[in-house]
């Protein structure tokens, strides 16, 4: 079987193949049969048609940052979008068109030149593709909604290898489905987003010794209960240079005076180990947590949602974090709120529109023999959260939980998604994702 295309195609043994098959999660070690690196929509169309004619499964790599590593599959034809990097800002309309291989760090750096921004993920090496298609939680979600709420249109190659447009005006059903439905409906070659004026923000990180965690997280809970839309904050339990720490990371995109005051509310009465808050460029805030997620470590996530951070839940989180199996393991509490929570659930495929906290249990390790104990720790922590009322989870944080978890992550939108999956991809050509099972 030969594959000749107008763009790079790699097989095992070719220079660049090894680097192209590696993804962020070091636990994933899979070998695609072909890696196609398109330059254009036509290249993607050709790759899909070739795979279908040859009976090869297709996987799609955006930024290669997914926890589950489903963007790489053994024996598949991988469409690796990483050469499709164009980013074109239209300052008059305050919009941007970015291709499917762009990462958030690249995206933000370009839109910042125009003092414009939109909601994106908080780690700059994450791809805009997988993140937006699954929803897109980030610092600006309270004010501007999720990344997918800011999507205006998309160019997509469908399961037949044809180019389609999706927007409110064209293929509106498909447009609904790709705002949360992940990679189930096609390969998105370009995303058009709404941007918003943003000169700078207030925020950063404050750190305390872990002994102060109970006080700090209770205070975090109380502040986030009434926080304005412009203020988004995460609480974290981690280890730094061998010392157990508790911290708050935050971003305030509102007016200068109130932003500074509201950011300082997170400080306890006595001085922290470090106060790295202040007025910053948005790109600084968007990369300040990169150190916490180095590529190549082995990772396992469990991220159940809690409606409320009760005192009991906070105590359980601190107790479990105290027995973290490695120094690279951390726990992050994410507050989903504001505009992101107010969009009616049926308006986009992203179904879990409510105010809640995602309890991100992130086990990280570098010695493969630790896998079992790290995974067991994360699972038992998640079970303890479930006993306290935690349920469902964000589809982009799922690993291999399976069909029931995927269904739960869409809430009441799942049935419509399943019907649209059947309409747009009846043969499940796009199967390496949090898969939606089509129904007629
Ligand atoms: C450390 C870390 C931090 C994270 N932070 C955030 C965060 O702040 N906010 C948030 O919302 N999520 C976050 N996530 C989750 C993130 O949204 C997902 O991991 C997402 O899948 C990453 O997108 P990617 O393109 O880099 O992934 P990839 O691994 O390349 O792709 C994952 C899947 O997405 C699909 N896909 C990707 N691109 C395309 C495309 N162009 N067309 C069609 N399908 C495509 C494919 O099905 C693929 O299997 C984080 C994950 C990690 C590991």
């Amino acid at each position: 079987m030969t594959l000749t295309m107008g763009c790079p195609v790699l097989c095992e043994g070719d220079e660049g193949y090894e680097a192209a098959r590696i993804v962020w999660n070091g636990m994933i070690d899979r070998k695609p049969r072909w890696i196609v690196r398109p330059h254009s929509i036509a290249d993607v169309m050709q790759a899909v048609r070739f795979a279908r004619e040859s009976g090869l499964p297709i996987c799609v790599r955006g930024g290669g940052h997914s926890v589950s590593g489903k963007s790489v599959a053994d024996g598949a034809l991988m469409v690796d979008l990483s050469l499709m990097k164009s980013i074109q800002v239209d300052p008059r309309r305050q919009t941007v068109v970015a291709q499917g291989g762009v990462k958030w760090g690249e995206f933000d750096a370009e839109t910042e030149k125009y003092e414009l921004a939109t909601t994106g993920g908080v780690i700059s090496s994450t791809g805009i593709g997988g993140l937006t298609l699954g929803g897109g939680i980030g610092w600006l979600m309270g004010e501007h909604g999720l990344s997918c709420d800011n999507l205006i249109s998309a160019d997509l190659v469908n399961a037949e290898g044809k180019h389609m447009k999706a927007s409110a005006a064209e293929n509106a059903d498909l447009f609904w489905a790709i705002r949360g439905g992940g990679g189930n409906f096609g390969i998105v070659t370009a995303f058009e987003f709404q941007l918003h004026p943003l000169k700078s923000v207030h925020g950063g990180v404050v750190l305390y010794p872990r002994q102060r965690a109970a006080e700090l997280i209770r205070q975090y809970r109380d502040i986030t209960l009434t926080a304005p839309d412009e203020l988004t904050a995460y609480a974290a339990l981690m280890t730094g240079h061998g010392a157990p720490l508790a911290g708050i990371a935050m971003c305030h995109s509102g007016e200068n005076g109130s932003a500074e005051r509201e950011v300082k509310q997170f400080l306890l009465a006595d001085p922290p180990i470090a106060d790295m808050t202040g007025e910053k460029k948005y790109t600084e805030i968007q990369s300040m947590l990169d150190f916490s997620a180095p590529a190549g470590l082995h990772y396992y996530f469990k991220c159940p949602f809690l409606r409320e951070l009760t005192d009991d839940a906070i105590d359980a989180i601190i107790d479990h974090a105290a027995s973290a199996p490695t120094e690279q393991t951390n726990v992050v509490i994410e507050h989903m709120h504001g505009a992101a929570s107010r969009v009616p659930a049926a308006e986009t495929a992203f179904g879990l529109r409510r105010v809640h906290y995602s309890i991100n249990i992130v086990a990280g390790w570098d010695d493969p023999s630790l896998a079992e104990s790290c995974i067991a720790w994360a699972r038992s922590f998640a079970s303890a959260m479930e006993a306290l009322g935690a349920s469902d989870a964000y589809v982009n944080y799922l690993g291999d939980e399976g069909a029931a978890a995927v269904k739960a992550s869409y809430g009441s939108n799942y049935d419509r998604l399943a019907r649209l999956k059947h309409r747009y991809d009846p043969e499940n050509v796009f199967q390496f994702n949090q898969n939606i099972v089509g129904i007629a």
Side-chain angles (χ1 to χ4, degrees):
M1 189 164 47
T2 52
L3 172 53
T4 311
M5 292 192 58
C7 65
V9 178
L10 304 171
C11 286
E12 190 167 6
D14 289 347
E15 195 184 335
Y17 173 87
E18 285 302 313
R21 76 179 183 87
I22 298 300
V23 288
W24 172 81
N25 187 349
M27 202 161 62
I28 310 296
D29 178 18
R30 301 190 188 127
K31 293 187 173 176
R33 169 79 178 82
W34 305 96
I35 300 178
V36 176
R37 313 187 89 184
H39 292 303
S40 65
I41 300 175
D43 291 342
V44 178
M45 288 163 53
Q46 195 187 343
V48 170
R49 289 175 189 175
F50 173 83
R52 295 211 56 182
E53 282 156 17
S54 318
L56 283 171
I58 299 173
C59 58
V60 182
R61 180 191 173 116
H65 217 279
S66 58
V67 185
S68 62
K70 290 184 192 288
S71 41
V72 53
D74 283 327
L77 182 147
M78 180 204 264
V79 178
D80 171 12
L81 296 168
S82 57
L83 302 182
M84 295 186 72
K85 292 277 194 193
S86 156
I87 307 170
Q88 299 296 330
V89 176
D90 179 341
R92 197 180 49 82
R93 292 177 59 228
Q94 300 192 341
T95 60
V96 60
V97 177
Q99 286 186 316
V102 170
K103 298 184 178 186
W104 283 107
E106 297 156 347
F107 181 100
D108 295 330
E110 197 59 26
T111 62
E112 190 165 79
K113 292 177 188 163
Y114 298 85
E115 296 184 348
L116 295 169
T118 200
T119 310
V122 304
I123 302 288
S124 68
S125 54
T126 313
I128 65 165
L131 187 136
T132 302
L133 293 170
I137 298 172
W139 295 120
L140 302 182
M141 72 178 135
E143 199 178 356
H144 300 302
L146 301 174
S147 308
C148 73
D149 298 329
N150 290 284
L151 193 65
I152 299 171
S153 72
D155 280 291
L156 169 147
V157 174
N158 71 11
E160 292 170 15
K162 292 188 179 148
H163 179 188
M164 291 182 81
K165 279 266 184 194
S167 69
E170 264 180 286
N171 301 305
D173 264 356
L174 183 60
F175 184 54
W176 179 87
I178 62 169
R179 285 175 294 157
N184 274 284
F185 297 92
I187 303 178
V188 177
T189 54
F191 298 83
E192 182 188 13
F193 291 98
Q194 185 64 57
L195 298 171
H196 310 275
L198 191 67
K199 278 202 173 115
S200 64
V201 292
H202 265 81
V205 175
V206 291
L207 292 175
Y208 281 90
R210 184 72 67 82
Q211 295 90 303
R212 309 300 301 279
E215 233 176 305
L216 193 68
I217 300 180
R218 278 173 172 73
Q219 178 164 289
Y220 164 84
R221 183 250 333 261
D222 296 345
I223 295 169
T224 51
L225 278 176
T226 56
D229 288 353
E230 295 85 356
L231 176 60
T232 294
Y234 299 173
L237 300 174
M238 70 298 223
T239 306
H241 302 296
L245 300 170
I248 307 290
M250 79 292 280
C251 172
H252 197 306
S253 53
E255 292 299 313
N256 266 342
S258 64
E260 197 170 353
R261 253 192 333 276
E262 282 164 17
V263 158
K264 293 289 178 200
Q265 297 176 96
F266 288 103
L267 292 165
L268 298 173
D270 47 330
I273 296 176
D275 176 0
M276 294 170 273
T277 60
E279 188 178 355
K280 294 185 196 306
K281 293 196 321 189
Y282 179 60
T283 45
E284 276 180 71
I285 292 277
Q286 278 288 79
S287 53
M288 70 184 175
L289 303 180
D290 285 1
F291 73 93
S292 67
L297 275 187
H298 294 217
Y299 290 99
Y300 183 80
F301 279 31
K302 281 296 213 183
C303 306
F305 281 132
L306 273 176
R307 304 279 179 116
E308 267 184 285
L309 273 183
T310 59
D311 286 350
D312 284 351
I314 292 172
D315 292 344
I317 290 168
I318 294 168
D319 278 356
H320 282 271
S323 62
T326 65
E327 288 200 0
Q328 297 103 322
T329 292
N330 53 60
V331 181
V332 179
I333 306 173
E334 263 182 336
H335 179 221
M336 245 195 88
H337 72 120
S341 65
R342 290 193 296 265
V343 173
E347 199 163 304
T348 67
F350 185 95
L352 304 179
R353 300 289 189 169
R354 56 186 189 223
V355 176
H356 53 200
Y357 297 89
S358 180
I359 313 302
N360 300 346
I361 303 160
V362 179
W365 64 98
D366 47 17
D367 173 355
S369 71
L370 295 177
E372 206 176 315
S373 56
C374 288
I375 292 171
W377 172 83
R379 286 184 175 155
S380 111
F381 191 156
S383 302
M385 293 296 103
E386 278 151 26
L388 287 162
S391 61
D392 39 38
Y394 172 32
V395 74
N396 271 355
Y397 291 161
L398 293 180
D400 283 323
E401 281 85 348
V406 175
K407 192 169 179 187
S409 75
Y410 288 112
S412 54
N413 287 336
Y414 189 81
D415 288 349
R416 182 175 176 194
L417 271 169
R419 285 194 302 277
L420 290 172
K421 176 73 176 176
H422 179 73
R423 180 160 140 213
Y424 286 103
D425 184 15
E427 291 170 37
N428 203 14
V429 168
F430 303 113
Q431 61 185 277
F432 294 109
N433 42 47
Q434 297 302 342
N435 205 228
I436 293 162
V437 181
I439 45 167

